[in-house]
Amino acid sequence: MTVHMPGHPATSRPRPVGRHPIPSDDSVPHSRRRGAPPEEGEFVRPLNRRQVDDRMWELDELYERTSSCAPREPANVGPSGRDRCTAFQQRLADHVRRPGFELLVAEAVGPSGARDLTACAYGFPVHRAGSWWRDLDGHLPEDLLDVAAVDGLFAIADILVERRVRTQDQTRDWNLARRLQKRLLGAHTGAVGVTLVDRCDMESYRALQAWGWRPSPTETWATSHFVSHRLLVLR
């Protein structure tokens, strides 16, 4: 689970395509206006697959910006920043092809009336016989597998948010991460959310717990070779 696509030379990067003028619409919250209540927050809306492709540059920049929230690795350990960005881009390209894929973006309106991409979350339904469970080595709660058998599980694969969302007002319903994950699950009545988080990424683990996620009730990872991630559940 990343709570954070490849970098490109500045000379080749076009003007971000998502900074469009906003038409007059009183339903669009203006979170950056002085005195705006936090409950309004950013405007959250879905993107279809074509829109995801059209706005890939923005998603790229969002990942690069928010991935700085993650704990830094020593320069000689683990993948480079560019490698991590490439892995994210490849992962998103794979996930967007999954049946039932959904992606939400959050946008804030700036003083000029342009909207800026501030956050993103996406996921898809997972099934008992699907590939999402690969490498979990059979160490899973039987009740989750039963829910998956009746198409009742929705995997939230990534939540990309700024540090302030991870550290401030985490338990508030209007916290942006909470709004995104609730909106994703809300379209699937009764669905149980599942996600994976790197065991070494304690910052993301603590943030997810603050947003209502809980560890799998039968954590038997010690006997499994798949020890790099935790399975978290949101009911």
Side-chain angles (χ1 to χ4, degrees):
M1 175 70 179
T2 56
V3 185
H4 328 294
M5 264 164 179
H8 303 277
T11 55
S12 64
R13 183 173 299 211
R15 178 179 180 273
V17 297
R19 302 192 177 189
H20 308 297
I22 293 289
S24 176
D25 185 347
D26 292 337
S27 67
V28 178
H30 292 248
S31 62
R32 294 187 180 180
R33 285 181 179 172
R34 181 173 299 178
E39 289 84 355
E40 290 186 12
E42 286 89 339
F43 176 56
V44 174
R45 68 187 184 93
L47 299 184
N48 59 36
R49 288 174 172 83
R50 181 180 295 276
Q51 290 171 322
V52 171
D53 185 60
D54 289 343
R55 300 186 67 174
M56 194 63 73
W57 283 103
E58 277 190 285
L59 294 169
D60 175 27
E61 292 181 341
L62 177 67
Y63 178 80
E64 290 181 296
R65 186 168 73 251
T66 59
S67 63
S68 63
C69 297
R72 296 294 86 197
E73 298 172 332
N76 60 342
V77 177
S80 68
R82 184 176 296 274
D83 288 341
R84 289 194 301 271
C85 290
T86 300
F88 175 82
Q89 187 178 35
Q90 293 172 341
R91 184 167 67 250
L92 179 57
D94 175 64
H95 288 165
V96 76
R97 294 192 293 268
R98 286 178 175 266
F101 173 88
E102 297 178 29
L103 183 144
L104 299 175
V105 295
E107 298 168 318
V109 181
S112 68
R115 60 184 179 222
D116 297 317
L117 187 66
T118 61
C120 168
Y122 73 86
F124 41 81
V126 291
H127 313 287
R128 181 164 185 154
S131 61
W132 192 81
W133 306 103
R134 187 182 300 130
D135 296 328
L136 293 182
D137 202 24
H139 296 279
L140 288 166
E142 191 62 32
D143 67 321
L144 284 187
L145 294 176
D146 291 341
V147 174
V150 294
D151 299 336
L153 287 185
F154 190 89
I156 297 183
D158 280 293
I159 303 177
L160 313 181
V161 292
E162 305 281 1
R163 177 173 292 277
R164 63 178 174 80
V165 180
R166 298 163 64 103
T167 60
Q168 299 175 21
D169 302 308
Q170 296 164 302
T171 61
R172 300 283 190 172
D173 288 341
W174 43 261
N175 176 278
L176 186 54
R178 281 180 170 266
R179 291 176 61 202
L180 288 166
Q181 63 191 30
K182 182 179 180 180
R183 176 84 171 264
L184 280 174
L185 292 177
H188 305 271
T189 305
V192 175
V194 288
T195 194
L196 298 174
V197 60
D198 194 309
R199 278 188 175 273
C200 297
D201 188 354
M202 291 305 298
E203 182 181 350
S204 292
Y205 179 69
R206 287 191 292 266
L208 287 162
Q209 284 196 302
W211 298 333
W213 294 84
R214 294 294 177 261
S216 165
T218 57
E219 267 224 285
T220 55
W221 302 100
T223 60
S224 171
H225 73 275
F226 191 79
V227 295
S228 61
H229 288 78
R230 289 178 182 270
L231 175 69
L232 299 183
V233 180
L234 182 66
R235 298 181 184 271

